[in-house]
Each structure stands twice: as structure tokens, then as C-alpha cells.
């Protein structure tokens, strides 16, 4: 039975070049001993230069057996340990320096280690921007949210499309002010909103900053203050208590999908969580703390665990419709479409003036409020209504996840008069 030596980033094993079942037929027949290294989908083989036979090889320990008469046993086994360590060190170095782990890179390192070649003969190849970007995403994937990962991938897709349309090769030296102006115009022509363009530029700067810190990039022109786009305050609504009651009391018994979408939305309104956290809750999320029932949620974006009180109307809804459990998950796009229908049926018709920059031009239009209702409206409504009730901002932020009060105040939708009044009521002048 073969065993493997597990590593954080790869797997190493030593085995004869010929199958053991063949060598077992002639236990004194010698076969070249090979190093096998697996890293993801990559398979790398390398000759150790030593030959072994079946009767002298311990396939469990992957070393020469401790037998009398094998004079060079310790020397060979020590060499195998050394070459194993060399592979792991080189792999770790490549990963830490954001360089792809390739067969060529490992072979070059081991050739130097075994004196098959000198360091001066090893070719050093510069890593390209897109190669680095892929490594960056692979490293970040375990620690960032799916939404953030998707955002980075979208940015890289736009950059590849830009590269193809302009018939250029983007490299680290490409990112200067001329590139920025051209890329910005390219996205504007496609009618992207200002905040969407800002998102792609911001994502690019994050990748370039990482490459700079890793010593891969030396072009710092992207740090220029003109290589950025200011954010635009978008027209986002919140639902007041009266509007929420209209939605809650709406009879949707004849419309099963609308009914479930509304119930999922009510959980969002009650907990203040993001759609990724309040859509798809199960009985596993239900906990009791000091005789009260809560949704225990690990926020996908922050990793923070929050306990959200289950209000009586939410418990009643789950009992009467879903066997005591939360409603089953629904595709976010469907929920957004259904919410607009629900808002219209609830006669949430207040006209809202919407101002946005699209394709580099400012647009102003008036829409009925129900057209602006979406899954994120639940979270914004929770924060805004709790604030207007006089709840402490720090307490609301426990659930919302905002890191600073500055960001919180930018997030909620209240008038300046309401904000000032709330600050005074909290005891600012006491």
C-alpha cells in the first residue's frame, strides 16, 4: 500500500519507475526511483538518480529499508528527505512571491540542487499581469465572499475585452493615465453607470497594489489621484413602517411564488441582513438564547456571526406556511422581480426622482417607488427605521456590519434634519 506525504499546497511521494507489482515478480530487479509531486491538477515527476529493488524498498515509509548489508541506506534516505524539503521550499517561495507553480520552475530548482545545472543557466521569466491576476484570485478565493470574487472576475473580463478591442497587450507598464482615460471611455460607451466603472477601476487598483507589494510591479502611475473615480450617491429607497405593513398584510394566497418571495423579504426587513444571509435560512439557523428564539447567521461577506431575534410575526409565518422552518431559498433575480409586483399590488406608488450618471452623462427620471424595491431594500429599511426609532447607531451596526458611523450615515436614507434630531436625542448636548 502506498502512502503519501501531505503538504499544505501539494503532495509528494517516492516510487520506483516500474510498477511494484512487476518488480515483486523479481525482487532483486532494480528500477529508477522517481519523485512524484502533485499540485492541484499539475503532475510533476523527477528522477532521484538512484535505483532500488523491491526487497529493499519500504513503500509505506517511502524509504530504503533498514537491512543489514545496505551500506548507503542512510545517505539515500537523507537525500530523499532533502529533495522533498527542496520541493516544498520552492513551492512555498513561488506561492509567496505570487509566481505560478510550474513543472519547469520545479525542475530548474531541483536541477540546481542536484548539480545538474548552475543557477546562471536557469531562465527567469517575468510574470504577466493576467497571470498574476489569476494567482491573486486563487489566493483570495478562500477568504473573500462569492460576490467580491465575482466582482474581480468581472473586472478582469472587462480588461480582456478592452485589450482585444484595442488590439493591445496589457502588461504592468500599461497602466498609466492614458490607459485610465481610454478604459473609462470604453466603459462609458457601453453605458455603464458611474459606480460600476468606479468598481472596476477600484478592483484593478487593488490587484496592482498587491502586485507592487509582492515586488512584481514597479509601475506606480496607478497611484496617481487622477487614476480613480469618485463614488456617486445612488437613488436608493427604504420602506417606512406603514409601507412594510401594507406588504405584510397583502393577501398573496393565490400567488405562491409571490407569497414566498414576500416572506423571505419580511425576514430581511426583520433582521437587517444582506440577501446572501437572509435568503436560504434553514432550521439549522434556529437557536434559543435565554428563552428567546434567534436566527444564528454567519455573514458571508464578513464572516461575523450574528444572532437576530425572531419576531413573533416571523415565527407565526414560519409555523403557518413552512412547517416551523424558514421559507426555502429563491433565486435573487426572481425575488427582485416579484418585489416590484408586490409593491405595485400594495400601492406603494410615491413618485421618486432618480438621478444617475450613465455613459458619462447625467440622467434624471421619475419612477414609482415600487419600481425601486429590491432585496437590499430590506437591509436599508431595517437600518433606517431603527435609526428613526432612536436606537443607538452602535447597536444597529452590530447587525448591519458597518465598520464606521461615517459609512453608516452614508448608507441609511434620512434627511439631514432627522439625523441632527437623532444625534441630539442620543444626548450629544448632555
Amino acid at each position: 500500500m502506498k502512502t503519501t506525504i501531505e503538504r499544505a499546497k501539494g503532495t509528494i511521494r517516492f516510487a520506483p519507475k516500474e510498477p511494484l507489482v512487476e518488480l515483486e515478480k523479481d525482487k532483486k530487479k532494480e528500477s529508477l526511483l522517481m519523485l512524484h509531486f502533485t499540485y492541484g491538477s499539475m503532475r510533476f515527476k523527477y528522477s532521484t538518480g538512484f535505483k532500488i529493488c523491491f526487497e529493499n524498498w519500504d513503500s509505506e515509509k517511502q524509504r530504503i529499508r533498514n537491512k543489514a548489508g545496505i551500506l548507503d541506506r542512510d545517505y539515500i534516505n537523507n537525500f530523499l528527505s532533502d529533495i522533498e524539503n527542496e520541493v516544498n521550499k520552492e513551492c512555498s517561495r513561488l506561492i509567496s512571491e505570487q509566481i505560478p507553480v510550474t513543472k519547469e520552475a520545479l525542475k530548474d530548482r531541483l536541477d540546481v540542487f542536484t548539480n545538474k545545472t548552475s543557477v546562471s543557466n536557469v531562465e527567469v521569466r517575468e510574470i504577466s499581469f493576467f497571470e498574476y491576476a489569476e494567482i491573486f484570485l486563487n489566493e483570495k478565493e478562500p477568504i473573500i465572499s462569492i460576490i467580491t470574487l465575482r466582482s474581480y472576475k468581472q473586472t478582469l473580463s472587462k480588461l480582456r475585452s478592452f485589450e482585444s478591442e484595442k488590439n493591445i497587450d496589457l502588461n504592468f507598464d500599461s497602466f498609466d493615465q492614458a490607459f485610465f482615460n481610454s478604459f473609462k471611455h470604453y466603459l462609458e460607451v457601453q453605458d455603464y453607470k458611474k459606480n460600476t466603472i468606479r468598481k472596476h477601476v477600484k478592483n484593478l487598483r487593488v490587484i496592482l497594489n498587491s502586485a507592487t507589494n509582492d515586488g512584481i510591479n514597479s509601475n506606480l502611475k496607478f497611484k496617481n489621484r487622477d487614476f480613480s473615480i469618485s463614488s456617486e450617491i445612488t437613488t436608493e429607497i427604504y420602506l417606512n413602517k406603514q409601507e412594510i405593513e401594507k406588504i405584510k398584510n397583502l393577501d398573496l394566497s393565490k400567488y405562491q411564488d409571490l407569497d414566498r418571495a414576500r416572506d423571505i423579504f419580511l425576514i430581511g426587513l426583520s433582521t437587517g441582513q444582506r440577501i446572501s444571509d437572509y435568503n436560504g435560512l434553514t432550521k439549522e439557523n434556529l437557536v434559543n438564547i435565554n428563552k428567546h428564539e434567534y436566527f444564528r447567521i454567519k455573514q458571508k461577506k464578513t464572516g461575523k456571526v450574528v444572532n437576530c431575534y425572531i419576531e413573533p410575526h416571523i415565527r407565526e409565518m414560519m409555523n403557518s406556511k413552512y412547517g416551523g422552518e424558514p421559507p426555502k431559498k429563491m433565486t435573487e433575480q426572481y425575488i427582485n422581480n416579484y418585489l416590484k409586483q408586490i409593491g405595485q399590488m400594495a400601492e406603494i406608488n410615491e413618485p421618486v426622482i432618480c438621478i444617475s450618471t450613465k455613459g458619462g452623462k447625467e440622467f434624471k427620471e421619475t419612477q414609482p417607488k415600487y419600481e425601486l424595491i429590491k432585496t437590499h431594500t430590506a437591509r436599508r429599511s431595517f437600518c433606517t427605521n431603527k435609526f428613526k426609532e432612536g436606537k443607538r447607531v452602535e447597536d444597529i451596526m452590530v447587525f448591519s456590519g458597518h465598520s464606521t458611523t461615517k459609512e453608516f450615515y452614508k448608507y441609511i436614507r434620512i434627511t439631514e434634519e432627522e439625523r441632527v434630531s437623532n444625534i441630539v436625542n442620543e444626548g450629544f448636548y448632555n
Side-chain angles (χ1 to χ4, degrees):
M1 174 182 175
K2 295 179 181 178
T3 61
T4 58
I5 303 167
E6 296 293 340
R7 298 294 175 190
K9 294 293 181 181
T11 305
I12 292 176
R13 67 182 177 89
F14 293 99
K17 188 173 183 179
E18 297 177 61
L20 282 173
V21 291
E22 294 296 324
L23 294 178
E24 191 173 10
K25 297 175 182 178
D26 183 355
K27 297 184 179 180
K28 293 186 180 296
K29 180 182 178 181
E30 291 188 328
S31 178
L32 193 63
L33 184 62
M34 306 294 293
L35 175 146
H36 297 261
F37 179 66
T38 303
Y39 180 81
S41 61
M42 184 192 75
R43 302 290 185 270
F44 170 65
K45 293 192 296 184
Y46 191 84
S47 170
T48 65
F50 292 102
K51 291 184 177 181
I52 55 100
C53 62
F54 183 88
E55 66 177 5
N56 292 340
W57 180 245
D58 188 331
S59 59
E60 290 286 341
K61 296 180 180 178
Q62 296 180 35
R63 294 295 187 271
I64 302 295
R65 293 182 184 278
N66 186 13
K67 287 175 59 178
I70 306 178
L71 300 179
D72 54 356
R73 168 188 174 275
D74 290 339
Y75 174 78
I76 296 175
N77 286 343
N78 287 337
F79 175 82
L80 297 182
S81 296
D82 289 342
I83 198 172
E84 174 189 332
N85 290 334
E86 198 65 27
V87 170
N88 286 315
K89 284 194 298 183
E90 181 64 6
C91 186
S92 297
R93 183 188 72 81
L94 292 171
I95 293 169
S96 66
E97 295 180 9
Q98 304 289 333
I99 299 174
V101 178
T102 63
K103 298 178 184 179
E104 293 76 16
L106 294 176
K107 181 180 182 301
D108 289 341
R109 181 63 249 166
L110 291 182
D111 282 349
V112 173
F113 177 73
T114 58
N115 295 319
K116 291 183 180 178
T117 185
S118 62
V119 177
S120 59
N121 291 330
V122 179
E123 180 183 355
V124 178
R125 183 178 65 85
E126 291 186 0
I127 184 172
S128 73
F129 166 75
F130 285 110
E131 285 177 330
Y132 178 83
E134 291 301 327
I135 294 170
F136 173 85
L137 291 187
N138 290 335
E139 292 292 316
K140 291 291 184 182
E141 185 170 0
I143 58 176
I144 61 178
S145 69
I146 295 174
I147 295 173
T148 303
L149 180 65
R150 184 167 63 227
S151 176
Y152 280 124
K153 288 183 177 180
Q154 289 170 348
T155 298
L156 291 177
S157 176
K158 297 303 175 190
L159 287 168
R160 290 185 188 278
S161 298
F162 173 79
E163 180 185 57
S164 176
E165 181 167 311
K166 300 296 182 181
N167 195 26
I168 58 175
D169 291 322
L170 286 180
N171 54 56
F172 286 109
D173 292 330
S174 302
F175 302 110
D176 54 17
Q177 199 61 43
F179 158 82
F180 170 80
N181 295 335
S182 182
F183 185 57
K184 177 171 174 283
H185 178 70
Y186 168 76
L187 295 176
E188 287 176 344
V189 168
Q190 298 184 52
D191 274 348
Y192 284 107
K193 292 184 177 180
K194 183 178 180 180
N195 281 348
T196 302
I197 299 174
R198 178 179 182 269
K199 174 193 73 175
H200 291 310
V201 173
K202 183 180 178 181
N203 288 346
L204 173 60
R205 286 172 64 99
V206 171
I207 296 173
L208 292 176
N209 259 319
S210 178
T212 302
N213 293 335
D214 290 336
I216 305 297
N217 172 53
S218 59
N219 173 21
L220 303 183
K221 293 177 182 177
F222 74 95
K223 290 181 176 288
N224 190 305
R225 62 182 299 176
D226 292 329
F227 198 108
S228 62
I229 298 175
S230 60
S231 62
E232 179 179 51
I233 298 178
T234 57
T235 304
E236 297 284 356
I237 62 157
Y238 81 98
L239 299 175
N240 59 40
K241 290 185 175 182
Q242 292 73 29
E243 292 166 333
I244 293 173
E245 283 300 312
K246 284 184 178 181
I247 290 176
K248 187 189 302 182
N249 297 327
L250 201 61
D251 182 8
L252 298 174
S253 56
K254 295 181 180 179
Y255 312 98
Q256 187 175 356
D257 289 338
L258 292 180
D259 195 30
R260 180 154 64 101
R262 184 262 307 273
D263 292 342
I264 293 172
F265 187 62
L266 289 176
I267 293 177
L269 287 165
S270 176
T271 62
Q273 298 305 298
R274 300 174 182 87
I275 178 63
S276 57
D277 297 318
Y278 75 75
N279 180 26
L281 295 173
T282 69
K283 62 181 180 180
E284 303 299 326
N285 295 103
L286 305 178
V287 297
N288 281 283
I289 304 174
N290 294 330
K291 300 180 180 180
H292 290 291
E293 196 174 19
Y294 297 82
F295 290 118
R296 176 163 290 169
I297 300 170
K298 184 176 182 180
Q299 296 177 330
K300 288 184 171 58
K301 183 173 182 179
T302 65
K304 181 181 179 182
V305 176
V306 295
N307 296 302
C308 300
Y309 175 64
I310 299 178
E311 296 183 277
H313 73 275
I314 298 295
R315 168 43 66 195
E316 182 182 351
M317 173 262 288
M318 292 193 297
N319 288 343
S320 63
K321 298 181 183 179
Y322 307 103
E325 300 179 11
K328 291 185 179 179
K329 186 174 183 178
M330 180 180 283
T331 304
E332 183 179 356
Q333 183 180 349
Y334 290 162
I335 298 177
N336 281 327
N337 291 335
Y338 294 147
L339 287 177
K340 291 169 176 53
Q341 297 179 49
I342 293 168
Q344 186 176 22
M345 295 168 69
E347 298 182 347
I348 302 175
N349 301 319
E350 176 189 350
V352 179
I353 298 175
C354 304
I355 302 174
S356 64
T357 303
K358 188 176 181 181
K361 299 177 182 179
E362 185 176 279
F363 290 87
K364 182 185 292 188
E365 60 179 337
T366 300
Q367 291 183 284
K369 192 172 184 178
Y370 66 79
E371 285 286 356
L372 302 176
I373 302 175
K374 54 187 178 182
T375 55
H376 202 65
T377 304
R379 178 170 160 81
R380 198 178 295 277
S381 300
F382 172 89
C383 294
T384 304
N385 286 321
K386 292 300 181 186
F387 179 86
K388 293 180 71 174
E389 288 173 11
K391 299 293 190 291
R392 294 175 67 249
V393 171
E394 290 78 7
D395 292 337
I396 304 172
M397 288 168 58
V398 168
F399 299 100
S400 71
H402 291 95
S403 56
T404 66
T405 54
K406 179 181 178 182
E407 288 300 316
F408 178 84
Y409 280 117
K410 286 167 57 179
Y411 181 81
I412 62 176
R413 287 298 182 258
I414 59 169
T415 65
E416 189 63 27
E417 290 81 2
E418 288 173 319
R419 178 181 176 184
V420 170
S421 175
N422 189 273
I423 292 173
V424 171
N425 290 337
E426 281 189 344
F428 181 84
Y429 285 101
N430 292 351

